[in-house]
Amino acid sequence: MRLHHLALWSRRIELLRDFYTTYFDGRAGEKYENPAKGFESYFVTFADGVSLELMRRTDVTAPDAAQHLGLAHFAFGCESRAEVDRLTERLRADGHPVLSEPRITGDGYYESAVGDPDGNLVELVYKA
């Protein structure tokens, strides 16, 4: 088995689509729309085949709570420490928040963390 996709609710799915295709080399599929349910989505698929489903629905407009149990972050694997550094700086230069500077973690990863346009925590990780 392998992870197939993660799904994110957003009011700005086009902005998220552009973020993940620009910085993480995702490929966006065609927009799916279901007017009867007020639903639309994009699948953004990455090189390893895992996807993000970016979803919008007219009745989903705000998070249920500021802190909740469940998904805390997701991570993209980088090819080197230099790639973690380069992508972190590129995101910073383009105005995206760097939430955690590149560092070696206690479990041996070299990583940083950034916020996507909706504030989802995205880690950039490398492990030799």
Side-chain angles (χ1 to χ4, degrees), residues 4-74:
H4 184 272
H5 75 273
L6 297 172
L8 301 173
W9 287 115
S10 178
R11 292 185 306 258
R12 308 175 306 170
I13 60 175
E14 286 81 8
L15 186 61
L16 286 183
R17 177 202 59 204
D18 294 347
F19 179 83
Y20 288 105
T21 58
T22 298
Y23 298 105
F24 298 98
D25 298 327
R27 289 177 292 104
E30 294 294 318
K31 181 191 264 185
Y32 168 76
E33 297 181 80
N34 183 332
K37 293 187 176 189
F39 177 83
E40 52 193 17
S41 70
Y42 288 100
F43 272 91
V44 178
T45 304
F46 302 95
D48 63 358
V50 175
S51 300
L52 282 176
E53 182 180 11
L54 309 173
M55 307 180 306
R56 177 171 44 216
R57 199 171 72 200
T58 54
D59 63 335
V60 178
T61 59
D64 290 333
Q67 293 294 320
H68 60 278
L69 294 176
L71 183 67
H73 70 268
F74 49 92

Side-chain angles (χ1 to χ4, degrees), residues 69-119:
L69 294 176
L71 183 67
H73 70 268
F74 49 92
F76 285 91
C78 295
E79 296 294 321
S80 66
R81 292 172 102 182
E83 185 180 9
V84 171
D85 292 342
R86 179 191 57 76
L87 187 51
T88 301
E89 290 310 313
R90 180 177 173 205
L91 286 154
R92 183 192 326 268
D94 289 349
H96 299 286
V98 174
L99 306 173
S100 178
E101 295 294 332
R103 71 208 179 285
I104 297 174
T105 62
D107 55 358
Y109 284 88
Y110 185 73
E111 69 180 42
S112 69
V114 300
D116 77 5
D118 277 354

